[in-house]
Amino acid sequence: MGKIIALANQKGGVGKTTTTINLAASLATLEKKVLVIDADPQANASSGLGVDLKKVDCSLYECIIDHADIRNAIYTTDIEGLEIVASHIDLVGAEIEMLNMDHRERVLKNLLSTIRNEYDYILIDCSPSLGLITVNALTAADSVIIPVQCEYFALEGISKLLNTIRIIKSKLNPKLEIEGFLLTMYNAHLRLANQIYDEVKRHFQELVFKTVIQRNVKLGEAPSHGIPVILYDAESTGAKNHLSLAKEIISREKKE
């Protein structure tokens, strides 16, 4: 049975989408079958994995609102074993349309239950908010990765996210665990980055991934070409960091 991991942080610009597409590509490179769910109306994960958004007939929006078959929203990518459920700007309005639905927090969980056995990992790229779609993602997930940017306000807002996770755990998804805090945009030469690393480590100890994602130009360039960094420049720091993260996640699974 596939493991469902949500990547969430209501703070924007922390590297959620970058981590989602590059972790997914790295897991697929390590011969895992991976599905990305683009649950962000900006659809950056979709375009970052080469989906032509103008040609998307069926997206996560149609699956949630029109009860379309989720298989019709799955698109292939340039990496073997990696597929994506595309997003659409219409997803912005989905939260309002979902308000009258029965069990509205469990719509995504029910959608994924039909296909989770076909994948080793399903990664959900959440939007930078704690709205109903993100609640759906956390209700559907087995665990959550929280990317934390190595910058001044890094820990701001994390208590709100942790509180949301606690509520979801108590009311909707008792099995939800924190997979780990992932430090992103790390620059070893900056004293501030090291201070934040130490602070996150002090707060969350074993929950912090050993792998850190360093600042890397290639990591920023790859999405404009519609490919993950491992295809853009496999020797880049960004590619190596995400491969290391994928191996860390796989090795944790083996220990459990």
Side-chain angles (χ1 to χ4, degrees), residues 17-36:
T17 301
T18 301
T19 302
T20 305
I21 59 183
N22 290 299
L23 171 58
S26 298
L27 287 166
T29 304
L30 296 169
E31 301 187 333
K32 301 293 179 188
K33 189 132 178 20
V34 187
L35 178 67
V36 170

Side-chain angles (χ1 to χ4, degrees), residues 67-80:
H67 311 295
D69 185 339
I70 193 163
R71 285 183 174 79
N72 295 335
I74 295 175
Y75 295 81
T76 56
T77 71
D78 289 340
I79 290 190
E80 192 181 340

Side-chain angles (χ1 to χ4, degrees), residues 184-219:
T184 62
M185 305 178 198
Y186 178 76
N187 182 343
H189 304 302
L190 292 180
R191 201 168 77 207
L192 177 66
N194 290 305
Q195 284 170 346
I196 286 167
Y197 180 84
D198 292 340
E199 195 178 343
V200 173
K201 197 84 179 130
R202 194 176 70 246
H203 271 285
F204 303 112
Q205 297 164 355
E206 295 307 306
L207 285 175
V208 182
F209 283 107
K210 291 184 179 71
T211 304
V212 295
I213 308 298
Q214 291 160 271
R215 275 202 180 276
N216 179 241
V217 174
K218 297 282 195 265
L219 207 49

Side-chain angles (χ1 to χ4, degrees), residues 1-5 116 120-122 142-143 179 253 256:
M1 187 145 89
K3 181 167 191 177
I4 302 176
I5 304 175
R116 73 179 288 170
D120 296 307
Y121 292 95
I122 297 176
D142 299 305
S143 64
E179 186 75 29
E253 296 289 296
E256 285 173 8

Side-chain angles (χ1 to χ4, degrees), residues 54-71:
K54 294 189 201 73
K55 293 182 179 166
V56 170
D57 300 322
C58 185
S59 69
L60 185 61
Y61 173 83
E62 282 76 21
C63 298
I64 289 174
I65 302 302
D66 303 331
H67 311 295
D69 185 339
I70 193 163
R71 285 183 174 79

